[in-house]
Every structure is written in structure tokens, then in C-alpha cells.
Amino acid sequence: MEKFVQLTGVAAPLRLMNVDTDMIIPADYLKTIKRTGLGAGLFASMRFKDGQEVADFVLNKPAYRQAKILVAGDNFGCGSSREHAPWALADFGIRCIIAPSFADIFFNNCFKNGILPIRMPTEVVDRLMAAADNGANATFTVDLEAQTIALPDGEKIGFDVEPFRRQCLLNGWDDIGLTLREAGSIDAFEAKAKDGQPWLWAS
């Protein structure tokens, strides 16, 4: 998993509550188990109509086409538990989502896929949303080590992340990475098992 230490990029304002995973990545795109290429389908039902871009959708606006941060409303990522949702966001280039609240499964899936979801009070999200309205000038710096968001005017806003999740993102540890950290112990256990119960290992 790609490490998340510090991220500087344009923040896009998505003024919607209850953005569900079907809105994030429609079911038509769930036929693949590859994590790449899904960015093309991100918010497809809102980004496109009759095969054409919807000009007033935020991520179609020139200033936000390369957005790396999304500022959104309450209950982001609700709906089905599809892991394709964070895959699509990451493939598009979005590595951080700021919202007052997230659906639990989506929230957990973000951390496992290199995306930092930040919960903040509604009044703070409203301020960040207003700052994100400044288009290409809405460049935020999210520092996970310091746990701060630096706004274009220099103001820094602190946020909290569970220590274990923070360490996993800083080091790029997904579930497989965490398991491989114990590779020495696993190898030692298997070697001992082969000596004590060789019949289990006979081919």
C-alpha cells in the first residue's frame, strides 16, 4: 500500500450528504477485481450524462480535475460495502476525504487502501468547504505526522486519527503488510511444525 505521510493538493467541495457507494462507483464497474482503471467510473452517474461530461459537476470543472482531497457532507460512503469505492477514489487521485461522518465499512476500507478519511465537526467542514470554493487556489496540505491541515492562508487545523491506523498509513501497511511483518515468527512456527508433525507436510 502506498504510504501516506503528507499530501498537498487541490481540495474539491462536494456539497452532498449521504453519498453512497453506488454514487461513488456504480454497480456496472464492479465486474473487475483490479484496483486500476476504476477512476474513470468515479461518480459516473453525476459526472456523465448520455456519454457527455456534466459541466457543473465539481470534478469536471477545470480547477478540480486533478483534485487530491475531497471535502464532503455527512455520512459519506454509506450504502453497500463495496471496496471498489475507495479503489475508484484512489485511482482517480483522491487520497484524503474530509467529512463530518463516514459509514463505518467505507471508513475502514479507506485506511486499508491508502486513503485518509478525516472526521471533523460540521462547522469546521463548512469552513474547509468555503476554502475549497477557491478553485485551483484551494490547495490544502494534509500532514498525517503532525495531524494538521494547512489552508492556503496559512491557517492550520488539527485533526485526530487512531494511533494504530495512523501508523499503518504512515508506513504503508495494509493487512498483508501487517502479516508480513511477522514473517520471521511464521517461518519459525512452520519449521517447528514440520519437525514435530512431519506427516502434515508430506506431499
Side-chain angles (χ1 to χ4, degrees), residues 17 29 75 101 103 108 129 131 135 143 149 155 157 186 197:
M17 297 173 61
Y29 294 86
N75 199 27
S101 64
N108 292 332
M129 195 84 74
D143 189 327
I149 301 170
E155 180 185 4
I157 299 174
I186 294 169
Q197 300 173 303

Side-chain angles (χ1 to χ4, degrees), residues 88-122:
L89 287 158
D91 191 61
F92 187 86
I94 292 172
R95 298 287 314 283
C96 178
I97 306 164
I98 305 166
S101 64
F102 295 86
D104 287 342
I105 294 175
F106 175 83
F107 187 77
N108 292 332
N109 282 339
C110 281
F111 285 103
K112 294 180 179 182
N113 288 281
I115 295 174
L116 173 62
I118 300 175
R119 293 185 182 120
M120 305 200 87
T122 300

